[in-house]
Amino acid sequence: TTCMCEDNRIKIPEELGQVVEDSLRKVKKIHRRKVFCKVCLTAGACAAAITLLLVWGFKNPVMASKLPAIGHLFSQIEKDVSYKGNFSSKANILLPEDKGSRTDSPYIQESNGITISVTETYCNNLAVYLAVEIYNEEAFPDDFMATKYDENYIDGYDVLRMDSIDTFSFDSPKSSYEPFQIQGNYKDAHTFIGIIRAETGAANFRREQDTEVPETFQYELNISSLSGYIYSGWVEDTYIDPVTGEEGICRHLDGQESKVYKGNWNFKFDLKIDPAQIQTVTLNDVNDKGVGIKEVVKTPFEITATYVHPEGTKAYDYALVICDANGDFLDFQGENTRNTYQTYERNTDTVSIFLFENEQFWSGLVQYYWAEDYETKRKTKTFAEYLEEHALYSTHVDFTDK
């Protein structure tokens, strides 16, 4: 059977993307805390869930210094964002402890009253991570900050949206991608500290094009705006729970308008990865259905796989699912990743990897893991064991001897 390699850069159709996005938000809730409002599978409720990530009431703001007051921002926020990792233990420090010597640093850029300072970097062959501090002379609106008082709040981080273009020196022909958000926390009304995660040009796409990520390379990030939402008030919507079928009420903020800070913040970084921290397992295994796994790559903080599918089908027709050594579904490494999973504080010495038709998994099979009684059910059948019975393709990878 002629097969095509999976391509992370393929745009998912809007209706299918909605199913996946709604499903991911449901999974996020399971891994954090029970909330009053469950996400419903409608465009309105999805927008509501997004709004809850972006608003905080903040009292008594304290003016902050324009320059970073500490040298290790990673350590303050690396466990709070959706792309977790112990980056601080492996970070490259860009800014010296002496504030005076930072004035002319290329890693501090000011434009239109906003100063962006990149204090640290970490990278592997799957992603680049930047620790940043953003200082706003006029103070950020309260609506930019995720609500402290809202019991429906899901995540432990705030989000600043950004318009940006980034490039990698080893691309040929040169291509660009667009990191679209910074996740982190507000130190006060003027100061936001966060982490930018930029995939190394969608690693699976590069492998398909036989483009290897070298040990050293230059990375450029050009940011043209920062923004957040301003809200008009609270509204209530009804929803149908996808598991129980029961009707409920979802309370969310409405009236989204953007507050945009335009500017010109341009950065260049000379980066180096540590090949010793990367484990690659080549399988080149395809079954009689024409689906299979070409390669699995694991770093200290994430794991992904390149899958193949029959000619004439699209990458977004399939869902790549990875479970840990305990048979439980791994979290995604960030909100905008589709095939890259998080290994932070999970046992991934061995993993189970599955392929499904997208609708089959996200509209059906994943509900086994969503169920309120999953902890009871997993005592007799884990999620991985359940998926094994239904998968188009499955395999198991042991990293202990790699």
Side-chain angles (χ1 to χ4, degrees):
T1 302
T2 302
C3 296
M4 304 293 290
C5 283
E6 178 271 342
D7 177 358
N8 263 349
R9 301 307 299 176
I10 294 177
K11 182 175 177 59
I12 301 176
E14 184 176 352
E15 63 276 9
L16 182 55
Q18 185 68 54
V19 172
V20 175
E21 184 174 357
D22 290 335
S23 300
L24 296 186
R25 293 191 181 282
K26 182 76 176 183
V27 171
K28 283 168 60 180
K29 290 185 176 185
I30 293 173
H31 281 281
R32 289 176 173 84
R33 61 181 178 85
K34 291 183 178 180
V35 295
F36 168 79
C37 169
K38 291 187 178 180
V39 178
C40 63
L41 300 181
T42 65
C46 182
I50 295 173
T51 67
L52 294 174
L53 300 176
L54 300 171
V55 181
W56 256 15
F58 201 92
K59 298 181 179 179
N60 301 321
V62 178
M63 286 294 290
S65 168
K66 234 182 184 183
L67 298 178
I70 45 86
H72 299 276
L73 295 184
F74 272 142
S75 63
Q76 298 185 52
I77 48 181
E78 61 192 9
K79 296 181 180 181
D80 297 328
V81 297
S82 69
Y83 28 83
K84 296 176 174 61
N86 188 22
F87 310 120
S88 55
S89 67
K90 305 175 183 296
N92 176 36
I93 307 300
L94 300 180
L95 295 178
E97 294 296 324
D98 178 18
K99 290 185 179 182
S101 61
R102 297 176 182 174
T103 304
D104 298 324
S105 171
Y107 307 120
I108 300 174
Q109 299 284 322
E110 190 278 335
S111 182
N112 296 332
I114 292 183
T115 300
I116 301 179
S117 304
V118 182
T119 65
E120 302 139 67
T121 65
Y122 167 78
C123 73
N124 53 48
N125 65 339
L126 296 182
V128 172
Y129 297 86
L130 307 177
V132 300
E133 179 169 284
I134 301 173
Y135 175 78
N136 186 356
E137 290 181 357
E138 74 172 37
F140 291 104
D142 288 346
D143 282 6
F144 276 29
M145 307 171 193
T147 51
K148 285 183 175 180
Y149 54 81
D150 176 29
E151 64 179 1
N152 298 334
Y153 180 57
I154 300 171
D155 295 305
Y157 57 85
D158 310 307
V159 175
L160 265 181
R161 294 181 297 147
M162 64 177 178
D163 288 326
S164 68
I165 294 291
D166 67 350
T167 56
F168 295 82
S169 59
F170 53 86
D171 274 346
S172 181
K174 199 168 187 179
S175 55
S176 62
Y177 307 91
E178 300 177 356
F180 71 99
Q181 66 173 218
I182 311 169
Q183 297 181 5
N185 294 303
Y186 286 88
K187 294 172 62 178
D188 53 65
H190 293 263
T191 312
F192 179 84
I193 60 173
I195 298 175
I196 298 172
R197 181 184 187 273
E199 291 191 359
T200 53
N204 290 323
F205 174 72
R206 285 214 170 90
R207 284 199 293 276
E208 183 180 349
Q209 301 299 319
D210 293 325
T211 302
E212 295 294 329
V213 179
E215 185 173 334
T216 60
F217 60 91
Q218 187 174 80
Y219 173 67
E220 297 184 26
L221 176 64
N222 301 315
I223 302 172
S224 57
S225 76
L226 300 170
S227 63
Y229 290 120
I230 305 296
Y231 302 98
S232 61
W234 291 93
V235 297
E236 291 185 351
D237 286 331
T238 59
Y239 72 95
I240 302 298
D241 187 284
V243 177
T244 66
E246 297 178 355
E247 183 176 289
I249 295 178
C250 179
R251 184 172 181 263
H252 62 90
L253 287 164
D254 194 31
Q256 296 181 1
E257 294 183 4
S258 293
K259 167 73 173 178
V260 181
Y261 297 94
K262 293 186 177 181
N264 191 26
W265 302 272
N266 300 318
F267 299 94
K268 290 184 180 181
F269 308 96
D270 292 316
L271 300 178
K272 181 178 181 179
I273 64 176
D274 183 3
Q277 296 294 318
I278 300 166
Q279 295 177 278
T280 301
V281 178
T282 301
L283 298 178
N284 288 325
D285 182 33
V286 181
N287 63 19
D288 56 6
K289 299 182 181 70
V291 295
I293 298 296
K294 179 181 179 183
E295 185 178 73
V296 183
V297 179
K298 178 183 172 184
T299 77
F301 309 122
E302 57 248 307
I303 183 171
T304 189
T306 307
Y307 62 85
V308 297
H309 53 90
E311 187 175 13
T313 62
K314 302 295 185 183
Y316 55 67
D317 292 337
Y318 300 91
L320 172 72
V321 179
I322 303 180
C323 294
D324 65 14
N326 298 318
D328 294 324
F329 195 20
L330 288 174
D331 294 324
F332 282 90
Q333 181 69 334
E335 292 185 353
N336 196 40
T337 57
R338 196 163 55 85
N339 293 326
T340 303
Y341 288 84
Q342 188 177 120
T343 62
Y344 181 70
E345 294 187 340
R346 302 288 289 272
N347 181 356
T348 55
D349 289 342
T350 61
V351 296
S352 301
I353 303 176
F354 307 94
L355 287 171
F356 302 91
E357 291 182 355
N358 235 322
E359 290 280 358
Q360 175 195 17
F361 180 76
W362 290 112
S363 296
L365 296 175
V366 74
Q367 294 186 20
Y368 183 88
Y369 186 74
W370 285 353
E372 293 183 4
D373 62 346
Y374 172 69
E375 288 302 318
T376 300
K377 292 193 298 185
R378 75 177 305 279
K379 294 177 182 178
T380 55
K381 184 180 294 186
T382 66
F383 190 47
E385 291 170 335
Y386 173 75
L387 294 181
E388 191 89 40
E389 300 171 354
H390 303 278
L392 294 175
Y393 172 92
S394 66
T395 190
H396 306 275
V397 177
D398 186 347
F399 287 97
T400 57
D401 59 349
K402 306 302 179 186

